[in-house]
Amino acid sequence: MLAAYASHPEQSRGRLYPESAPSGRSQFQRDRDRIIHCNAFRLLEYKTQVFVNHEGDLFRTRLTHSIEVAQIARSIARRLGLHEDLIEAISLAHDLGHTPFGHAGQEELNLCMRELAPEAGGFEHNLQSLRIVDHIEERYAEFNGLNLCFETREGILKHCSAKHAALLGEVGQRFLDRTQPSLEAQVTNIADEIAYNHHDIDDGLRSGLITLEQLLDISIFATHYEQVVQLYPQLAEPQNRKRLIGEIIRRMIHTFVVDLSEATLAQLDKHRPKSADEVRQCPRIATFTPEMRAHADELKRFLRTNLYYHDRVLRMTLKARRIVRDLFQAFINEPALLSAEHRRDDFNDQARAIADYVAGMTDRFAIKEHRDLFSM
Ligand code: MG
């Protein structure tokens, strides 16, 4: 049952280019379907989440991360009566604008843009996700991009500088007005956090960069560990390590999902929005309880210190930054190295086209392109 405060497809604020209503599926289903069929979505398979794609087949990629976000967001949507197709569309599209090599690649691309083309406007991965669905994809006869509904685009644009927001029209307005997005967008944002906190623990343990013993200092992990070994004492034995980790993590995800759902219902009860538009005017509604917020922050701090800044990860980060910088510099200094479709007459347009090209690369394509340009 769709709640009154949910996003209702028949009340959508519409698409940039008017289209006839879809038959046999809702507007938001159409958006979800368009995202799954676009090029940028398939490229997520070969883009880094934390571990570079070639490091091992079991590690998360941007694609499996996005699917896990969609799973968590959908299950919260069902508990809260939100629109499941919209929340799935936002989840699957939220990382489309990510560069190769995760955050390191994105930061380096932004630095390159700011240093070498200061008038071109920098690079923000979140804005890039919107740029892909609004402009970059070339699949439809009548428009560039995917021509998604306002509600999907609103959810994709999680954060945005005031300067960029002012150029985006309706979808950027909330960053100037300081209002909230739909509840589907708010929930996806937290589902993203639940997903990466847990799968990064799982991947971190698998890689051996973090250990179970370290994690036992984290109170929410320790609580669930105690629960599991009390119920299944045999899982404490070393040969059952994989199953132990799986059982702890699935229970932790459940705890966060239940807490988020209940705390959000309490906020809904307090503010009583009667439509998606009233949600936009309320303070932020999707939330953990303060206690779970503290647990989530503790997990994030742990991962930052022990995984994202682990020397083995930092070595990869260093190489990733160099590849992105070398590529950007080579192309901006010598646009003739680019194929005709990426060349532009105006310098700032050229910088943006290079940023689009580099951002669109998968890890392995960027490595190959770098080798092509810099090795004999
Ligand atoms: Mg994400």
Side-chain angles (χ1 to χ4, degrees), residues 43-305:
L43 293 174
L44 295 176
E45 183 174 5
Y46 298 102
K47 290 193 178 197
T48 292
Q49 184 64 28
V50 172
F51 296 92
V52 176
N53 184 260
H54 59 247
E55 289 186 81
D57 292 347
L58 274 174
F59 293 124
R60 269 69 174 188
T61 66
R62 285 273 159 209
L63 180 66
T64 61
H65 162 69
S66 300
I67 294 169
E68 287 183 44
V69 174
Q71 181 278 315
I72 289 169
R74 272 191 85 110
S75 68
I76 298 164
R78 193 161 304 181
R79 287 165 179 264
L80 300 181
L82 300 177
H83 202 288
E84 291 182 40
D85 294 320
L86 175 61
I87 216 162
E88 189 177 6
I90 298 170
S91 301
L92 295 177
H94 85 283
D95 273 349
L96 287 179
H98 259 286
T99 61
F101 312 120
H103 286 281
Q106 169 212 320
E107 278 165 24
E108 197 61 30
L109 190 53
N110 186 33
L111 287 175
C112 288
M113 280 288 270
R114 293 190 178 283
E115 286 166 29
L116 302 171
E119 304 294 307
F123 180 86
E124 297 174 17
H125 77 89
N126 202 232
L127 196 59
Q128 189 71 6
S129 297
L130 188 68
R131 201 172 143 68
I132 286 169
V133 301
D134 280 358
H135 301 290
I136 294 181
E137 286 284 329
E138 296 177 333
R139 309 183 54 76
Y140 299 93
E142 298 190 9
F143 44 79
N144 279 336
L146 307 180
N147 198 30
L148 303 180
C149 292
F150 170 85
E151 292 73 13
T152 310
R153 299 170 59 237
E154 173 196 43
I156 291 172
L157 194 65
K158 275 192 290 196
H159 34 75
C160 180
S161 59
K163 197 174 146 209
H164 283 133
L167 302 171
L168 290 171
E170 194 186 11
V171 78
Q173 195 57 40
R174 75 180 168 92
F175 299 97
L176 306 173
D177 298 345
R178 300 183 176 277
T179 54
Q180 300 298 327
S182 72
L183 202 46
E184 283 84 354
Q186 294 183 34
V187 166
T188 307
N189 207 358
I190 307 185
D192 186 22
E193 185 186 343
I194 297 176
Y196 65 65
N197 276 341
H198 292 87
H199 64 49
D200 288 352
I201 290 175
D202 189 42
D203 281 353
L205 286 166
R206 177 174 297 108
S207 69
L209 299 189
I210 57 175
T211 64
L212 194 66
E213 290 63 37
Q214 279 178 306
L215 277 161
L216 290 175
D217 287 338
I218 308 299
S219 53
I220 188 83
F221 189 93
T223 309
H224 288 80
Y225 171 88
E226 301 295 340
Q227 252 179 34
V228 172
V229 296
Q230 201 158 47
L231 277 166
Y232 308 102
Q234 73 279 15
L235 291 192
E237 290 165 24
Q239 70 272 22
N240 293 326
R241 182 56 65 99
K242 271 199 280 192
R243 208 184 291 273
L244 171 71
I245 293 165
E247 193 66 39
I248 294 170
I249 288 177
R250 86 173 179 90
R251 284 162 185 266
M252 282 174 65
I253 293 175
H254 181 74
T255 302
F256 277 98
V257 164
V258 169
D259 181 87
L260 173 60
S261 306
E262 286 172 2
T264 301
L265 283 171
Q267 288 299 308
L268 284 164
D269 203 44
K270 183 171 159 198
H271 296 287
R272 300 195 172 272
K274 287 179 288 297
S275 67
D277 272 334
E278 287 190 20
V279 167
R280 293 184 175 94
Q281 301 307 320
C282 289
R284 188 156 276 259
I285 283 176
T287 184
F288 290 128
T289 57
E291 190 192 2
M292 284 306 275
R293 178 74 266 163
H295 285 310
D297 289 345
E298 191 185 8
L299 277 177
K300 277 211 247 203
R301 273 196 306 277
F302 173 84
L303 286 166
R304 190 175 317 126
T305 314

